[in-house]
Amino acid sequence: MHPGHIPTRYAAVFAFYREGFEQAAGRLARYAGRVGGDVMDEPATAKALSGYLLRGLDCGALDIAEVARLTGLTRADLEGYATPRRGDLTVSTK
């Protein structure tokens, strides 16, 4: 990538997260609060939505205060939805 492309790439990524923020936050808030909406969401959707919000936070397009205001969730909550839940993976040595 040419160094001259970096500002426009950054702007495009920033805009991507800003434009979808309110819709993603609203859907995740409804899912977390177990409130119905226009769409019936499932755990995989919550994982995708929380991942989207986390990436927006990590690139600086979103602020944790505004995410918390619209979703009612902390960063730890978002990470919990984004991380797959796995059972105990310990292996018996017997």
Side-chain angles (χ1 to χ4, degrees):
M1 178 188 309
H2 187 275
H5 296 152
I6 294 173
T8 55
R9 280 286 171 105
Y10 180 80
V13 169
F14 194 92
F16 172 75
Y17 289 108
R18 291 302 314 169
E19 289 170 8
F21 166 57
E22 287 187 16
Q23 183 179 14
R27 282 182 69 180
L28 187 59
R30 286 188 299 277
Y31 178 85
R34 297 184 179 168
V35 176
D38 296 339
V39 178
M40 177 69 171
D41 287 322
E42 57 185 35
T45 305
K47 179 180 177 179
L49 291 169
S50 59
Y52 175 86
L53 295 175
L54 286 168
R55 288 187 301 277
L57 287 168
D58 291 344
C59 79
L62 306 177
D63 179 74
I64 191 63
E66 68 181 340
V67 172
R69 180 176 47 80
L70 290 185
T71 64
L73 302 172
T74 65
R75 184 177 180 101
D77 294 331
L78 292 174
E79 290 170 349
Y81 282 115
T83 305
R85 290 169 175 77
R86 296 189 174 114
D88 185 10
L89 298 178
T90 57
V91 177
S92 174
T93 57
K94 293 183 184 180

